Amino acid sequence: MNVRTIEDLNGLDDDAFVDELGGVYEHSPWVAERATSARPFDTVSDLHTAMARVVREAGEAKQFDLLRAHPDLGEQTALTDASEAEQASAGLDELGPEQYEAFQRLNERYKRRFEFPFIMAVEGASPDEIQAAMEARVDNDQSTEFRTALEEVEEIARLRLDDRFRGSVDS
């Protein structure tokens, strides 16, 4: 089915709903699975709110799994289509060797410190801005960074949903 509106989405059975939205949260279809019971949604914003609530109520272990499902920024290996497009829109697919190495070092330092990759909604940001955010956030305490990473995941999901339903009269 070609799901173009919230009305179309509301009409799907649970499996089709998860097939449509399972990738909104990186490699975490459980978010869409748990959000099915919140239907019907009136707007894309309502859908996003319901999915974000699922994550907030999931518990710390499941939230860590969600964070760990994200790729390293600037990584030049296999990415989901959504991550690849997002990183390309920020120029992360065209890093020069020096900046690529800097991203690799920062990613490793960040992962050692927090046990999940650096996550940032990169739409509209330059590689320099992303690198500066990495440099600043790597010194956060665990609690602050865990919360910040979850907020970034929520923003990524919002952007993905907005993109998916752009132009829908139900937005």
Side-chain angles (χ1 to χ4, degrees), residues 106-119:
L106 284 164
N107 279 324
E108 286 307 311
R109 181 175 166 214
Y110 185 94
K111 282 194 298 191
R112 273 193 312 277
R113 181 167 170 87
F114 299 112
E115 300 178 15
F116 54 85
F118 176 81
I119 300 169

Side-chain angles (χ1 to χ4, degrees), residues 23-94:
V24 170
Y25 283 82
E26 197 82 12
H27 298 293
S28 301
W30 60 268
V31 178
E33 288 169 6
R34 293 181 186 183
T36 59
S37 63
R39 286 185 290 176
F41 303 107
D42 292 327
T43 65
V44 174
S45 179
D46 292 341
L47 170 61
H48 177 255
T49 298
M51 294 181 88
R53 184 179 312 113
V54 165
V55 172
R56 282 192 295 276
E57 295 174 354
E60 192 172 285
K62 200 74 169 162
Q63 292 168 341
F64 259 112
D65 289 344
L66 174 63
L67 296 178
R68 289 181 186 120
H70 280 259
D72 289 349
L73 288 179
E75 185 62 36
Q76 297 175 351
T77 59
L79 300 171
T80 64
D81 290 344
S83 286
E84 186 174 340
E86 291 156 1
Q87 290 198 32
S89 76
L92 296 179
D93 60 337
E94 299 176 0

Side-chain angles (χ1 to χ4, degrees), residues 9 20 63 67 117 134 140 143 163:
L9 187 72
E20 282 295 321
Q63 292 168 341
L67 296 178
M134 291 173 81
N140 281 344
S143 176
D163 186 54

